[in-house]
Amino acid sequence: MIKSWMVIGGVAFLVALAANAITPGDRQWFKRLQRPRWLTFEGAIPIIWTVIFICGAWSAYIVWEKDPGSTSTWLIMGLYLLLEIVTIAYTPVMFRLRSLKVGTILGGTGFLIGALLMLAVLSISGWAALLLIPYLLWSPIGTYTTWQMINLNPQDA
């Protein structure tokens, strides 16, 4: 029998694979952009996001297990999925459009969805809500960084 954590983890993994829809030209565009001087931790960003996505999937698992299959649980699972799609879309969409402004908008949108999700989950499970805090702490840092890059690279806004 397939366990709920396997389905949630599998969906999260498949959506995350979409972030690989980046061409070499897209990567070159991003690599040439100036970054804020304080951005010294760029190499750790993939690890940070991996931890955040694991926390999000674990949160979704907790919520699912509280009331599996109910209409409200399905709606919350839809919010989890929407949050991951918006978050994953940041890189390929921003790179493809070569627009830091689009990246900033996607980052801000993800934060808003994450905050709504946390509020929706809080009444179901404190632990599930707590597991969304890493996203809510990190997402504004990424969004702010992208916004700062607009000032450093106005031609790529």
Side-chain angles (χ1 to χ4, degrees):
M1 181 168 154
I2 297 176
K3 304 282 186 189
S4 59
W5 66 266
M6 293 175 176
V7 174
I8 291 167
V11 169
F13 181 75
L14 289 174
V15 172
L17 284 178
N20 293 318
I22 301 169
T23 67
D26 295 337
R27 287 183 205 278
Q28 290 297 83
W29 168 77
F30 191 72
K31 283 183 181 180
R32 73 164 178 72
L33 296 176
Q34 290 185 353
R35 283 141 173 83
R37 292 181 193 260
W38 50 263
L39 184 61
T40 58
F41 49 85
E42 195 167 9
I45 291 173
I47 295 165
I48 293 166
W49 275 114
T50 299
V51 170
I52 289 169
F53 281 119
I54 289 169
C55 287
W58 189 4
S59 173
Y61 167 73
I62 291 169
V63 169
W64 180 265
E65 289 298 313
K66 289 284 183 178
D67 192 12
S70 74
T71 302
S72 61
T73 301
W74 277 110
L75 290 171
I76 292 172
M77 291 300 117
L79 265 180
Y80 278 105
L81 181 59
L82 178 63
L83 177 60
E84 186 178 10
I85 289 169
V86 168
T87 303
I88 290 298
Y90 168 89
T91 301
V93 172
M94 181 179 68
F95 281 28
R96 184 69 36 96
L97 296 176
R98 290 173 166 69
S99 172
L100 294 166
K101 188 180 293 182
V102 167
T104 303
I105 291 167
L106 284 170
T109 301
F111 177 79
L112 292 175
I113 295 168
L116 290 172
L117 179 60
M118 184 179 181
L119 289 173
V121 164
L122 191 55
S123 65
I124 298 168
S125 167
W127 281 112
L130 191 66
L131 284 164
L132 295 172
I133 288 177
Y135 182 92
L136 294 175
L137 292 174
W138 181 254
S139 175
I141 294 169
T143 303
Y144 177 75
T145 302
T146 308
W147 181 70
Q148 285 289 296
M149 288 176 68
I150 291 172
N151 297 327
L152 297 170
N153 306 278
Q155 71 284 0
D156 294 295

